[in-house]
């Protein structure tokens, strides 16, 4: 995992979609975030341990063996929550995910403001091609300020927050310290863009959503963790 220190950062964008604005200041406590997306190999251990129904396309037992170092996909928000709890972790909040991706200097992408190239991220591919999801850790140029990989492209990532289009517009009514998103909703937030998306959706402030029970081929996740408090 990588350590993201406590402090403020600018969340959102005034140059993106309506649900990204207004840009606003948020304070977060220190937290850890997985350096990489959860892989097929790691998720297979979870499936075996709890004897759960594996994600679609995963039940043949071949995927976690031949593609153990590729991020697991076809996982619902419920699947992702279950894995993180099993691992003694949790899903990141939307604010934690965004700070881990863009840092404190207002960058557009995890690596800065330069448009993405194939050396930065996996994007712009066609669904069903021979190469879609990339193994973890092979896009060093795309690392975030804190050293996390693939926070742009490869797979969208689930976060814990419910989605509300006007949540930022009402940010004056929401906590500016460790925000947790709306108290209820029908869809969960997804972040980071995926292998089939264009650069616009790879921006660190871009927001989209999904039904927490649905499983899609371009959605995965990573976990976060609290920093233990000293006695």
């Amino acid at each position: 995992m990588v350590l993201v220190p406590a402090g403020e950062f600018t969340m959102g964008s005034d140059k993106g979609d309506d649900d990204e604005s207004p840009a606003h200041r948020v304070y977060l406590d220190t937290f850890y975030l997985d350096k990489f997306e959860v892989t097929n190999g790691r998720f297979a251990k979870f499936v075996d341990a709890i004897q759960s129904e594996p994600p679609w396309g995963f039940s043949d037992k071949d995927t976690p063996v031949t593609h153990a170092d590729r991020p697991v996909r076809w996982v619902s928000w419920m699947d992702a929550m279950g894995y993180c709890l099993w691992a003694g972790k949790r899903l990141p909040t939307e604010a934690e995910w965004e700070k881990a991706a863009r840092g404190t200097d207002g960058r557009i992408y995890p690596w800065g403001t330069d448009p993405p190239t194939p050396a930065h991220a996996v994007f712009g591919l066609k669904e069903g091609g021979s190469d879609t999801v990339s193994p973890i850790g092979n896009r060093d140029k795309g690392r975030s300020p804190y050293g996390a990989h693939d926070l742009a492209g490869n797979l969208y990532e689930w976060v814990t927050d419910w989605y509300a289009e006007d949540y930022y517009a009402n940010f004056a009514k929401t906590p500016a310290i460790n925000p947790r998103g709306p108290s209820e909703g029908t869809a969960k937030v997804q972040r980071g863009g995926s292998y089939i998306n264009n650069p616009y959706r790879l921006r660190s402030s871009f927001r989209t959503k999904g039904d927490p029970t649905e499983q899609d081929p371009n959605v995965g996740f990573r976990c976060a963790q609290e920093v233990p408090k000293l006695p």
Side-chain angles (χ1 to χ4, degrees):
M1 304 187 87
V2 298
L3 181 71
V4 181
E8 285 191 345
F9 83 107
T10 299
M11 186 174 184
S13 172
D14 295 324
K15 299 179 180 178
D17 292 347
D18 289 345
D19 65 354
E20 299 174 42
S21 67
H24 54 286
R25 300 292 287 174
V26 170
Y27 177 92
L28 296 178
D29 291 333
T30 305
F31 65 96
Y32 289 107
L33 186 74
D34 283 348
K35 186 175 184 179
F36 305 108
E37 292 160 329
V38 173
T39 61
N40 289 315
R42 288 187 176 276
F43 198 84
K45 294 179 180 179
F46 162 67
V47 170
D48 289 342
I50 69 167
Q51 299 182 341
S52 74
E53 184 70 22
W56 186 91
F58 200 85
S59 57
D60 59 5
K61 301 293 185 182
D62 183 51
T63 296
V65 175
T66 59
H67 299 300
D69 61 346
R70 294 191 183 188
V72 66
R73 51 193 186 137
W74 294 104
V75 284
S76 69
W77 183 87
M78 303 292 290
D79 295 329
M81 279 285 289
Y83 174 92
C84 290
L85 289 170
W86 172 79
K89 303 177 183 180
R90 59 174 174 78
L91 282 176
T93 65
E94 185 175 16
E96 287 174 337
W97 190 100
E98 186 169 329
K99 182 178 181 182
R102 69 190 307 196
T104 58
D105 56 0
R107 56 185 62 191
I108 299 173
Y109 303 102
W111 55 87
T113 57
D114 293 337
T117 71
H120 292 104
V122 181
F123 68 101
L125 304 178
K126 291 184 178 179
E127 186 65 79
S130 57
D131 289 314
T132 51
V133 179
S134 175
I136 62 172
N138 66 354
R139 293 294 191 282
D140 283 349
K141 288 189 70 174
R143 283 181 299 180
S144 82
Y146 306 103
H149 287 243
D150 295 318
L151 287 169
N154 221 19
L155 294 177
Y156 277 116
E157 298 181 13
W158 290 110
V159 298
T160 193
D161 300 40
W162 290 109
Y163 174 85
E165 184 176 2
D166 61 352
Y167 183 62
Y168 290 9
N170 296 323
F171 80 90
K173 304 174 186 176
T174 64
I177 300 175
N178 300 316
R180 300 282 171 179
S183 58
E184 59 185 4
T186 58
K188 290 291 185 176
V189 176
Q190 298 169 348
R191 288 302 205 105
S194 75
Y195 59 86
I196 58 173
N197 293 125
N198 59 30
Y200 184 81
R201 286 178 171 246
L202 269 59
R203 295 176 301 111
S204 297
S205 59
F206 182 81
R207 311 173 70 213
T208 190
K209 62 188 184 298
D211 183 320
T213 65
E214 286 187 357
Q215 299 168 320
D216 293 303
N218 63 333
V219 181
F221 71 101
R222 73 183 74 211
C223 305
Q225 194 170 37
E226 311 290 345
V227 174
K229 296 285 193 295
L230 294 175

